[in-house]
Amino acid sequence: MSLQTIKYFCKDGFKNIFLNKTMAAASISIVVAALTVVGIFIEIGINLEYISQQIEKTVDMIVFLKKGQEEKAVVIEEYLRKNVDVREYKYISPHMALQDLKNKLGKNAFLLEGLEKDNPLRGYFVVKPVKIEYTKKLAEELETLDGVAQVYFPSETVDKLRRILKIINLFSILLIIGIYIVAIFIIANTVKITLFARRREISIMRYIGATNRFISGPFVVEGFIIGILGSILAYAIVLLFYHYTISYLSQTITFIDFVNISIYKYKILGVFILTGAW
């Protein structure tokens, strides 16, 4: 071992050990911060997608039958049952429609007395499409069925919802991808800074004849460990943040359901570990 090497380890050894630990802690902190931001935006994106799906489920189509042709309901129901574009349907008979109207009138239900024998109301189906974009196509198909008088759905509202949901989904995807790329860029530059800070140590190892594989090996292992530790810490922070945030929002905004993040927790952990280890 050369005199310069001995002098380096005796004089600057403790200084470099402290520097290495400091840089490792800083690297872990940056990985945690970057992945935490990514995780939060992933959760936002998942909830935006979930809320858009809930909005889709509120779109109903009303399929009115022709007066006196309620017997065709069996054929129409069979068509709805086999149609892959239909998520859910329910038949309301004329008697049920009249009873429902009485319930809505409440104390004024007496106004409808005597209509049981000559019920002016028609039977109808309440149909929910699988996706909102299927609404128009499904309505056109239903109008061609024998016994169907009219298919009603809020066409303008459906068109607006379709555009809004597409924007929400695109925004979520682009947001997550953008934040993810920024996180990888930050983590990669952190590694470069760490290597630059230890350039003297690397130069001495090369001076004494160490190969590139021998030099890079400890850095690869150290980077892997830093990435795994940072990923796990970020994952724990993200889960805790989501738990307390959703608990608060659920009590404040009662008309919106939020995603149960436990469904996605292993996927998020996998993304974090792959990103951190990479």
Side-chain angles (χ1 to χ4, degrees), residues 76-258:
I76 298 171
E77 184 174 1
E78 182 67 12
Y79 172 83
L80 292 172
R81 186 178 65 82
K82 294 180 179 180
N83 196 312
V84 294
D85 294 339
V86 176
R87 178 172 56 85
E88 183 182 335
Y89 65 88
K90 180 181 180 182
Y91 176 61
I92 308 296
S93 67
H95 174 73
M96 294 170 62
L98 181 61
Q99 190 60 44
D100 184 55
L101 185 57
K102 286 182 178 180
N103 293 336
K104 289 179 180 178
L105 289 175
K107 294 180 180 180
N108 297 320
F110 67 89
L111 297 171
L112 302 177
E113 289 181 2
L115 292 179
E116 292 80 1
K117 295 181 181 180
D118 186 20
N119 191 344
L121 301 180
R122 295 176 292 178
Y124 62 91
F125 284 91
V126 180
V127 181
K128 294 181 181 291
V130 174
K131 288 186 175 292
I132 196 170
E133 54 261 33
Y134 300 158
T135 306
K136 284 189 175 181
K137 173 177 170 286
L138 187 58
E140 292 173 357
E141 292 175 355
L142 288 169
E143 286 178 341
T144 63
L145 297 179
D146 189 24
V148 174
Q150 180 187 6
V151 179
Y152 170 78
F153 67 97
S155 57
E156 291 185 4
T157 302
V158 168
D159 289 338
K160 289 179 180 179
L161 279 176
R162 285 178 60 187
R163 289 194 293 268
I164 291 171
L165 294 180
K166 283 183 179 179
I167 292 171
I168 289 174
N169 292 335
L170 181 62
F171 174 76
S172 301
I173 293 170
L174 292 177
L175 187 64
I176 292 171
I177 292 174
I179 296 296
Y180 189 73
I181 291 172
V182 170
I184 292 176
F185 178 79
I186 292 172
I187 293 171
N189 278 277
T190 301
V191 174
K192 290 180 181 179
I193 293 171
T194 303
L195 292 175
F196 181 77
R198 298 171 69 174
R199 64 191 183 281
R200 186 178 179 188
E201 180 181 341
I202 295 171
S203 64
I204 290 176
M205 292 175 71
R206 282 179 176 168
Y207 178 77
I208 62 177
T211 63
N212 288 334
R213 181 176 296 181
F214 181 83
I215 295 172
S216 62
F219 289 102
V220 172
V221 174
E222 182 181 338
F224 182 80
I225 293 172
I226 287 173
I228 296 297
L229 289 175
S231 301
I232 294 173
L233 288 172
Y235 176 71
I237 292 171
V238 167
L239 285 188
L240 287 173
F241 174 83
Y242 187 82
H243 172 73
Y244 288 108
T245 302
I246 295 304
S247 297
Y248 173 77
L249 291 177
S250 297
Q251 296 175 0
T252 308
I253 311 174
T254 57
F255 57 89
I256 295 179
D257 292 330
F258 296 96

Side-chain angles (χ1 to χ4, degrees), residues 16-86:
N16 281 277
I17 290 172
F18 175 77
L19 176 62
N20 293 344
K21 289 185 177 180
T22 303
M23 290 302 299
S27 299
I28 292 174
S29 300
I30 292 172
V31 171
V32 170
L35 290 180
T36 298
V37 173
V38 170
I40 290 172
F41 278 96
I42 287 175
E43 291 171 343
I44 292 172
I46 290 172
N47 276 279
L48 287 175
E49 173 67 20
Y50 181 73
I51 291 170
S52 69
Q53 292 175 359
Q54 297 302 307
I55 293 173
E56 281 190 320
K57 292 179 180 179
T58 63
V59 176
D60 291 340
M61 302 170 60
I62 309 298
V63 183
F64 291 102
L65 304 185
K66 292 179 180 178
K67 182 63 177 174
Q69 296 191 24
E70 280 73 24
E71 70 277 0
K72 300 291 179 64
V74 178
V75 178
I76 298 171
E77 184 174 1
E78 182 67 12
Y79 172 83
L80 292 172
R81 186 178 65 82
K82 294 180 179 180
N83 196 312
V84 294
D85 294 339
V86 176

Side-chain angles (χ1 to χ4, degrees), residues 258-269:
F258 296 96
V259 173
N260 181 4
I261 202 64
S262 60
I263 301 173
Y264 301 94
K265 63 181 181 180
Y266 294 116
K267 293 180 180 179
I268 295 174
L269 179 60

